[in-house]
Amino acid sequence: MYNIAVIGCGVIGVTTALEIQKKYGGIAKVTIVADKFSPKTTSDIAAGLWEPYLLAENDEEDVIRWSKATFDFILKLWKEGKAKDAGICLQPAVNLFNCKNYNTPKWVSVTLGYNELGVRHLESLSKQYNQSFTGGFMFMGFTWEPILFLPHLQKQFLRNGGTIIEKHVQRFNELEDFDVIVNCTGLEARNLSCDRSIVPIRGQVIRVYAPWQYITYLIQCDDDEDACYVIPNRDSVILGGTKQQSFDTTINKNDTDRILKNTSKINYALAKCKKISEVVGLRPSRYRVRLEDEYIETNSGKILGIVHNYGHGGAGITLAIGCAKDASNLVENVLKIKYSKL
Ligand SMILES: Cc1cc2nc3c(=O)[nH]c(=O)nc-3n(C[C@H](O)[C@H](O)[C@H](O)COP(=O)(O)OP(=O)(O)OC[C@H]3O[C@@H](n4cnc5c(N)ncnc54)[C@H](O)[C@@H]3O)c2cc1C
Ligand SMILES: *[C@@H]1O[C@H](CO)[C@@H](O)[C@H](O)[C@H]1NC(C)=O
Ligand SMILES: *[C@@H]1O[C@H](CO)[C@@H](O)[C@H](O)[C@H]1NC(C)=O
Ligand SMILES: *[C@@H]1O[C@H](CO)[C@@H](O)[C@H](O)[C@H]1NC(C)=O
Ligand SMILES: *[C@@H]1O[C@H](CO)[C@@H](O)[C@H](O)[C@H]1NC(C)=O
Ligand SMILES: *[C@@H]1O[C@H](CO)[C@@H](O)[C@H](O)[C@H]1NC(C)=O
């Protein structure tokens, strides 16, 4: 029986833990160790929109493979009639760009059909938003809401025989009795692994009550600060957003004003709706998702096998299932390497 620890219980930790259970069935005991759980993780702040977003230098082929695995996973649940419990909504997403060098991203091929917006459509939207859009597309996709699905996935993990421990891990050595340690610590990997390439990208969002809004709009610009979005969830609509490199989790009044002003161009009623909440989350951003195995020798001479799975930036929900599959394959690597040496 292998003993596998997963550090982290956000979307990345839970999906990875489930994928490992699936792969190793009866021959592995999986334990999740985390100091924060739903609804208190960064994942819980996310709208859960399926869309590869803020992914820096990740290889386009990887992004497509990871996000496709998640899309297919969500679509399957939806077709099985499990959307309500799984926190899934099917919805159209309109993407508009006012970048000088606009190119449609290749990942649109993963979605349920997409259409480029025509010149006349772009002209009329440009007028409406007082922008000069250079391109845009529309596709049918999903929101998969972490605050709704995380508790369900945790229960599923426990039903499969998993164990959950609430604990802050200061050093990997504390887990040296495990055969493999999987590092799904998000932004905290910065402290735990001294990985300075992971940085916080601050996201401030407002949730309002607007059940009549059911289309996602995302407007992206050359100047990052100008981006704005409206994303309907089941019980609220998310208005955003910001993407500053900062650790500041307090609400900034200027950001609030800009978000309301920008999103009210999409529909002026949005800014007048009942506000449900306003929060700031820090996206665990890295030039590239870190998905790799590593071997560390402890003071006592023991070799720890670690699989890293962190740094998903603005798309942790979108990439979760694909990355979880890759991480579980890396676990297999670690076990092979560790036990071939015995
Ligand atoms: C405003 C906002 C909106 C977003 N919207 C979307 C969206 O629509 N779609 C999308 O795909 N993505 C979105 N994201 C991005 C997404 O939220 C993240 O990429 C994702 O949540 C990262 O998940 P994670 O599991 O790595 O991290 P987290 O959710 O932060 O989980 C980390 C886990 O690790 C644990 N942990 C960390 N350090 C330790 C330690 N030392 N000891 C024990 N436990 C530890 C924590 O307790 C926690 O359980 C959004 C982000 C923000 C801020
Ligand atoms: C439209 O944008 C221009 C510059 O981008 C600005 O000068 C003008 O005031 C804006 N008009 C409105 C109605 O917001
Ligand atoms: C991580 O390190 C920063 C800076 O040293 C500190 O402010 C923060 O509290 C640490 N986070 C955790 C969870 O320990
Ligand atoms: C997670 O990975 C980072 C980067 O290597 C490391 O510094 C940190 O110690 C790891 N966390 C744990 C709990 O091992
Ligand atoms: C958002 O507001 C800022 C400041 O008023 C403006 O510069 C920017 O163009 C707006 N963005 C969108 C997409 O409307
Ligand atoms: C808001 O913007 C004004 C003008 O740029 C600035 O003086 C003020 O400090 C800002 N407030 C916050 C909370 O950032």
Side-chain angles (χ1 to χ4, degrees):
M1 196 81 163
Y2 297 120
N3 251 321
I4 299 169
V6 175
I7 313 173
C9 205
V11 64
I12 300 299
V14 177
T15 53
T16 300
L18 282 165
E19 201 57 46
I20 295 169
Q21 283 181 327
K22 197 164 124 198
K23 194 172 170 91
Y24 289 100
I27 62 161
K29 189 174 172 337
V30 187
T31 305
I32 292 177
V33 184
D35 57 4
K36 282 194 197 125
F37 295 89
S38 183
K40 291 188 176 156
T41 69
T42 303
S43 300
D44 291 288
I45 292 171
L49 177 71
W50 182 97
E51 178 156 339
Y53 184 62
L54 296 185
L55 282 169
E57 298 165 25
N58 281 281
D59 183 67
E60 200 173 24
E61 296 305 317
D62 284 340
V63 168
I64 291 172
R65 192 166 49 83
W66 293 328
S67 61
K68 183 178 189 319
T70 309
F71 198 94
D72 293 348
F73 173 89
I74 298 173
L75 182 60
K76 182 163 177 283
L77 287 171
W78 190 80
K79 284 185 174 166
E80 286 170 350
K82 295 179 180 151
K84 182 168 173 281
D85 283 343
I88 292 167
C89 285
L90 178 76
Q91 59 179 279
V94 177
N95 279 254
L96 294 164
F97 298 83
N98 66 7
C99 318
K100 284 189 192 74
N101 301 308
Y102 168 75
N103 281 310
T104 304
K106 286 201 189 122
W107 55 254
V108 292
S109 63
V110 169
T111 66
L112 293 175
Y114 82 97
N115 286 296
E116 297 288 333
L117 300 180
V119 175
R120 288 188 49 194
H121 198 169
L122 286 173
E123 271 169 9
S124 91
L125 289 165
S126 295
K127 217 164 144 190
Q128 183 183 346
Y129 301 138
N130 194 26
Q131 299 269 345
S132 29
F133 296 125
T134 48
F137 55 88
M138 185 170 175
F139 66 88
M140 197 56 89
F142 296 99
T143 52
W144 184 34
E145 284 180 66
I147 205 161
L148 300 177
F149 75 69
L150 281 174
H152 283 278
L153 294 188
Q154 275 181 43
K155 272 186 216 140
Q156 197 178 325
F157 171 77
L158 292 171
R159 270 201 309 274
N160 293 347
T163 306
I164 295 181
I165 297 175
E166 184 174 351
K167 175 180 154 66
H168 177 71
V169 181
Q170 217 120 31
R171 304 179 59 214
F172 281 130
N173 292 11
E174 296 167 30
L175 304 174
E176 68 176 13
D177 293 336
F178 288 92
D179 295 304
V180 188
I181 302 165
V182 190
N183 190 358
C184 305
T185 52
L187 189 60
E188 285 312 315
R190 194 181 153 90
N191 287 7
L192 203 55
S193 7
C194 302
D195 182 349
R196 297 292 142 181
S197 58
I198 182 152
V199 293
I201 301 294
R202 182 178 175 279
Q204 180 170 324
V205 287
I206 304 167
R207 281 184 187 264
V208 297
Y209 181 70
W212 38 265
Q213 174 72 39
Y214 62 90
I215 301 180
T216 282
Y217 284 89
L218 240 144
I219 303 181
Q220 298 182 62
C221 315
D222 277 330
D223 178 356
D224 275 354
E225 266 311 287
D226 287 354
C228 83
Y229 55 81
V230 170
I231 306 174
N233 270 177
R234 192 187 68 186
D235 304 318
S236 62
V237 174
I238 294 190
L239 313 180
T242 67
K243 40 181 165 177
Q244 307 108 345
Q245 186 172 326
S246 161
F247 274 108
D248 184 4
T249 53
T250 61
I251 290 161
N252 180 300
K253 175 78 168 51
N254 290 345
D255 288 337
T256 306
D257 292 346
R258 189 175 53 80
I259 290 167
L260 290 176
K261 183 173 157 247
N262 280 350
T263 54
S264 65
K265 285 187 201 157
I266 291 167
N267 186 322
Y268 72 90
L270 285 169
K272 298 187 176 69
C273 288
K274 183 169 157 259
K275 191 191 275 191
I276 296 171
S277 69
E278 182 161 18
V279 289
V280 174
L282 305 178
R283 303 176 182 92
S285 188
R286 197 171 182 272
Y287 63 99
R288 184 180 295 151
V289 174
R290 187 166 187 212
L291 250 173
E292 61 189 4
D293 46 345
E294 186 186 15
Y295 302 84
I296 296 178
E297 190 169 351
T298 65
N299 293 337
S300 58
K302 197 163 177 177
I303 304 289
L304 299 186
I306 297 167
V307 172
H308 296 287
N309 185 7
Y310 64 79
H312 301 79
I317 291 87
T318 309
L319 305 181
I321 300 297
C323 289
K325 286 184 199 294
D326 279 13
S328 74
N329 289 334
L330 288 170
V331 165
E332 187 168 21
N333 256 10
V334 173
L335 290 173
K336 269 190 200 144
I337 288 173
K338 275 191 89 163
Y339 291 98
S340 69
K341 283 190 184 152
L342 285 181

